[in-house]
Every structure is written in C-alpha cells, then in structure tokens.
Amino acid sequence: QVQLVESGGGLVQAGGSLRLSCAASGRTFSSYSMGWFRQAPGKEREFVVGQTWNGDSTYYTDSVKGRFTMSRDNAKNTVYLQMDSLKPEDTAVYYCAASRAFMTFRNTPKPASYDYWGQGTQVTVSS
C-alpha cells in the first residue's frame, strides 16, 4: 500500500495561486494512478484531475482546465497540483488519491475508483 500526505493549502484571495503537494511513502507511487479530488462543505467529493499510472496523460475536470496543472516527480515520490487564477468556488478540502487500477478516464472517476487517500488540505479562496 501507499501512504499519502498533502500539504500546501491555505487562504488566498481570488485570482491568486497555491501549489499543493502530495508526498507518498510505502510503495513508490509510480505503481499507482494518481489523482486529486476536492470536497466543499455540504457537497460530495468530486474529481479534479488525474493521471494514468505512469503520468503519460492528464485529465482535468472542465471547471479547472487552463487554471490547474497536475505534475509528478517520481524521484521524489511526490505529486503536485498547481492552482492559478483561483476562484471562491474552488474553496474545498483537497485530497490526493491513488488507484491500483489503470485509469482510462472514459468517464469522470468516482471516489470509489481510488484505493488510498491523504488526509486532505484546506484551500480557502476569499473574494
């Protein structure tokens, strides 16, 4: 299995940027398909972005395309979520996740598609 720890959340004004990190321990995350989800108060956890097992392809939900960028550094066992042009509606707890399955992204992934989760990091965007 793999353990995931997110960091980098905080309070930022609309239009600002944050860079989230997800550090993995245990088995190297190159063995997993990695993704990011977020959950706002009173809302279900929703998919933000995910990659295939080797990071060759990246898939974003429409609401963050052009603003968020997911990347990985296998040597550091870390994945990142660069968030630019943040909006108040981006306010949520952000979670990184790992899946043992090969992700095709033919459909928007559901949380149940992922096997391991970090503890989450709060992102708050003020007007």
Side-chain angles (χ1 to χ4, degrees):
Q1 63 177 25
V2 61
Q3 294 79 46
L4 307 173
V5 179
E6 302 98 334
S7 62
L11 175 64
V12 64
Q13 293 185 349
S17 298
L18 286 172
R19 183 178 176 87
L20 307 183
S21 299
C22 176
S25 61
R27 191 172 184 183
T28 56
F29 68 31
S30 61
S31 300
Y32 300 90
S33 299
M34 302 298 298
W36 290 90
F37 285 72
R38 65 187 181 186
Q39 187 166 23
K43 300 294 192 293
E44 295 184 351
R45 193 167 298 187
E46 66 173 351
F47 173 77
V48 177
V49 59
Q51 294 183 327
T52 55
W53 70 270
N54 60 0
D56 283 350
S57 299
T58 306
Y59 301 85
Y60 299 86
T61 194
D62 286 344
S63 64
V64 307
K65 286 180 179 177
R67 300 190 298 119
F68 290 11
T69 304
M70 181 180 178
S71 61
R72 64 164 60 197
D73 188 334
N74 287 336
K76 298 182 182 295
N77 282 337
T78 302
V79 296
Y80 304 94
L81 183 63
Q82 177 68 42
M83 305 184 294
D84 299 321
S85 301
L86 282 162
K87 304 175 181 179
E89 52 262 43
D90 295 318
T91 295
V93 177
Y94 283 71
Y95 300 88
C96 65
S99 174
R100 294 172 294 182
F102 180 82
M103 306 296 290
T104 63
F105 298 97
R106 294 179 180 179
N107 302 106
T108 301
K110 295 176 286 187
S113 298
Y114 289 81
D115 304 292
Y116 305 101
W117 295 84
Q119 83 287 354
T121 185
Q122 177 71 48
V123 172
T124 302
V125 184
S126 63
S127 300

